[in-house]
Amino acid sequence: MVFCDIGNTFLHFFYKGRIWKERPNKLSPKRQDVKIFYISVNPKSEKKLLASHSSCVNLAPYFTLNTGYRGMGIDRVAACVGVRDGIVVDAGSAITVDVMQCGVHLGGYILPGLSTFRGLYKGIPVLDQDFDLAVDVDRLPHNTKAAISYGVIKSILLMIVDTAKGKQIVFTGGDGKFFSRFLSQEHSCMFDETIVFKGMQQAYENYILAHKGQK
């Protein structure tokens, strides 16, 4: 049994504690006797998976999340199901921030990710620079590259800290580890790349219960 989280760019796989990613046009062969349980936010990549593997199950119908939020992406749902209490921050091309309390989703919001912010400065010669990922967010910058980096990174961090209000912050996603290092000393936070798969595990257990007794 393999879990697959189909994102906007990559397909992320989880099998026996190992995580890896593949591009939709370069999917590696999988044993056809092994079922792949997946979630997807990208219909085109989902079709690629289904065309390459004969035994796939969409876990989306088997998630249960107590929330009043409408239109929530299945990847966000999975991450929230994986955290009972805390702030769930999935940092990718977009950054989603969700608040979980005693298993209830209180709400959340979406910010542009680092790569998206970077694109805002394209075509502006003075500002079209790569971010300084080592910028000191505790000191005011003295050059343009640092100023851009500081403005973007610190604004994201302040939003997250203001939302957390002392709750544990759980980072995941491609840039999750990067953001977590800024807060690890002063705030209760951690990076966990398996959060979505933990949520998928709960959906998988619901799937097993729903099909109990069926061949």
Side-chain angles (χ1 to χ4, degrees), residues 140-215:
L140 286 173
H142 288 273
N143 62 74
T144 301
K145 184 173 183 176
I148 295 169
S149 308
Y150 178 100
V152 169
I153 295 170
K154 189 153 188 176
S155 64
I156 293 171
L157 293 173
L158 288 175
M159 282 284 288
I160 294 170
V161 170
D162 180 68
T163 303
K165 294 181 171 59
K167 287 180 176 289
Q168 184 181 48
I169 306 168
V170 182
F171 286 94
T172 192
D175 291 325
K177 193 170 187 177
F178 167 75
F179 282 112
S180 68
R181 78 183 193 191
F182 288 98
L183 304 178
S184 58
Q185 294 183 352
E186 298 180 13
H187 302 274
S188 175
C189 79
M190 62 181 290
F191 171 71
D192 188 347
E193 62 180 340
T194 68
I195 284 298
V196 168
F197 298 115
K198 287 177 179 176
M200 291 180 70
Q201 176 64 38
Q202 292 192 39
Y204 170 73
E205 291 170 6
N206 292 338
Y207 167 85
I208 294 298
L209 287 174
H211 293 81
K212 191 174 181 179
Q214 297 182 17
K215 292 184 178 180

Side-chain angles (χ1 to χ4, degrees), residues 1-6 10-23 26-31 34 36 49 193-194 197:
M1 181 261 291
V2 177
F3 286 153
C4 178
D5 172 19
I6 304 175
F10 294 99
L11 288 83
H12 298 265
F13 292 90
F14 179 88
Y15 180 65
K16 292 186 176 180
R18 187 168 77 92
I19 296 174
W20 72 97
K21 63 183 180 181
E22 298 180 15
R23 291 191 178 276
K26 296 183 178 180
L27 292 175
S28 63
K30 309 289 188 302
R31 284 176 48 188
V34 175
I36 296 179
L49 176 69
E193 62 180 340
T194 68
F197 298 115

Side-chain angles (χ1 to χ4, degrees), residues 45-173:
S45 294
E46 181 180 353
K47 287 181 180 179
K48 294 283 187 181
L49 176 69
L50 296 177
S52 71
H53 198 81
S54 60
S55 185
C56 297
V57 177
N58 187 349
L59 281 177
Y62 301 97
F63 282 91
T64 55
L65 179 64
N66 187 350
T67 180
Y69 195 108
R70 296 293 174 261
M72 193 172 182
I74 193 62
D75 52 345
R76 286 177 72 186
V77 171
C80 287
V81 169
V83 177
R84 180 173 173 78
D85 282 283
I87 309 302
V88 186
V89 182
D90 192 343
S93 53
I95 299 172
T96 58
V97 183
D98 291 285
V99 182
M100 292 295 295
Q101 183 172 301
C102 298
V104 177
H105 179 248
L106 301 184
Y109 54 89
I110 303 173
L111 295 167
L114 287 179
S115 59
T116 306
F117 267 118
R118 176 71 178 82
L120 296 177
Y121 300 114
K122 288 288 186 183
I124 306 175
V126 176
L127 303 180
D128 191 359
Q129 304 184 39
D130 290 330
F131 289 139
D132 176 5
L133 300 181
V135 66
D136 186 346
V137 295
D138 294 319
R139 298 179 60 185
L140 286 173
H142 288 273
N143 62 74
T144 301
K145 184 173 183 176
I148 295 169
S149 308
Y150 178 100
V152 169
I153 295 170
K154 189 153 188 176
S155 64
I156 293 171
L157 293 173
L158 288 175
M159 282 284 288
I160 294 170
V161 170
D162 180 68
T163 303
K165 294 181 171 59
K167 287 180 176 289
Q168 184 181 48
I169 306 168
V170 182
F171 286 94
T172 192

